[in-house]
Amino acid sequence: MFDVRAVDLRLLNSLTKYPSIATYHTLEPGSGCLAAPATVFPGEVVATEKVDGTNSRLVLLPDGSYLIGSREELLYAKGDLIGNPALGIVEQLKPVAERLPRGAGIRVYYLELYGGKVGGAAKQYTRDPARFGWRLFDVAELADWQEPLTWSPAKISAWRESGGQPWLPEDALVALAAQAGLELTPRLWHRPGAELPAGIEDMHQLLTATLPATLVGLDGAEGRAEGLVLRAPDRSVIAKARFQDYERTLRRRR
């Protein structure tokens, strides 16, 4: 029987964090420039817009409770009188958490909260500092949660960062988003991984052709997009390609 009050929340927090995403081309330490090689996708690739907001998570638990968190920390538990107000995550996403479909174990919805006053890129999405948007980008289903919650913090971290989390595959994610009434980050194209560009300039050209402006503007805003996230349909490979990384690299080359 799961009881959120009896669980070590430090372990649950680590277990449900979104893993770090590598850059599509290697990011050189110190210089901030990109270099070969590019990430290899052995099969299909799904490209989505990378929205520049704050990574948020809604953790639905087997006892009927839920937690709301940023990428790094848990901010609120169902029934709390006071929640951490950081970036408006709890205020904006609490009504969403109340209505989401549950899984058999621990189900974690990962969303990007953007607009409002969320970071320096907020103005790319809205002119109204009181207006927020959110988009779902992944869901993890931890049906067998008992054993991982007995692991050490180091083991959980290593498991998470090496792809251990059980992700919904792309087709199941699309179906669940429709069931939950949640919009996904824009799906831009599917193609074989072998067709992705190997060169830095070629990847920058692909970015520019794919996303001349953001597709998630909130009030007619057509601001600058941050870039792409590239995923295998089963999430076995994930990489990001940001305009700023490619522009910095090409500028320094010239």
Side-chain angles (χ1 to χ4, degrees):
M1 176 67 73
F2 186 96
D3 180 359
V4 68
R5 289 176 173 79
V7 170
D8 186 329
L9 292 179
R10 295 173 301 167
L11 300 181
L12 184 59
N13 180 43
S14 184
L15 195 72
T16 60
K17 283 182 181 180
Y18 201 76
S20 304
I21 302 179
T23 51
Y24 174 67
H25 281 93
T26 304
L27 193 62
E28 295 180 323
S31 73
C33 289
L34 299 168
T39 302
V40 175
F41 285 83
E44 192 79 4
V45 179
V46 181
T48 67
E49 179 174 349
K50 187 178 191 305
V51 182
D52 195 349
T54 184
N55 189 311
S56 309
R57 54 191 152 134
L58 306 178
V59 184
L60 276 59
L61 300 168
D63 62 359
S65 63
Y66 64 79
L67 304 168
I68 299 176
S70 64
R71 185 183 185 279
E72 294 299 328
E73 60 183 325
L74 299 173
L75 305 174
Y76 177 83
K78 181 179 181 179
D80 284 353
L81 295 177
I82 299 173
N84 186 324
L87 299 172
I89 293 172
V90 174
E91 179 185 3
Q92 296 297 320
L93 296 182
K94 182 180 174 184
V96 181
E98 294 281 356
R99 64 175 175 79
L100 286 176
R102 297 179 175 274
I106 297 174
R107 173 179 282 177
V108 190
Y109 292 80
Y110 296 93
L111 305 98
E112 195 75 16
L113 180 73
Y114 67 99
K117 296 181 180 179
V118 182
K123 62 182 181 295
Q124 305 297 333
Y125 305 109
T126 180
R127 303 174 188 90
D128 182 354
R131 186 166 186 180
F132 293 81
W134 52 86
R135 293 291 182 117
L136 179 70
F137 59 88
D138 262 324
V139 171
E141 290 272 21
L142 289 87
D144 300 319
W145 48 266
Q146 293 92 338
E147 182 184 348
L149 285 174
T150 68
W151 294 345
S152 69
K155 182 174 180 179
I156 291 176
S157 179
W159 167 84
R160 183 186 71 238
E161 296 299 322
S162 61
Q165 288 162 311
W167 302 108
L168 285 190
E170 179 69 10
D171 55 353
L173 176 66
V174 170
L176 180 60
Q179 179 189 357
L182 292 174
E183 290 187 278
L184 289 161
T185 48
R187 267 57 191 153
L188 301 165
W189 39 257
H190 292 213
R191 65 180 60 175
E195 294 183 3
L196 291 178
I200 288 170
E201 191 159 356
D202 290 339
M203 188 62 190
H204 181 248
Q205 290 174 359
L206 178 60
L207 279 170
T208 303
T210 301
L211 277 174
T214 181
L215 299 177
V216 296
L218 297 171
D219 44 21
E222 294 184 354
R224 177 179 169 86
E226 186 183 13
L228 298 176
V229 179
L230 307 169
R231 293 179 172 90
D234 64 358
R235 305 310 191 251
S236 57
V237 186
I238 307 176
K240 61 188 176 186
R242 300 181 299 186
F243 278 101
Q244 65 178 12
D245 295 332
Y246 286 88
E247 290 165 356
R248 181 191 308 112
T249 301
L250 294 172
R251 188 166 57 246
R252 292 181 179 176
R253 281 184 173 185
R254 292 167 186 150

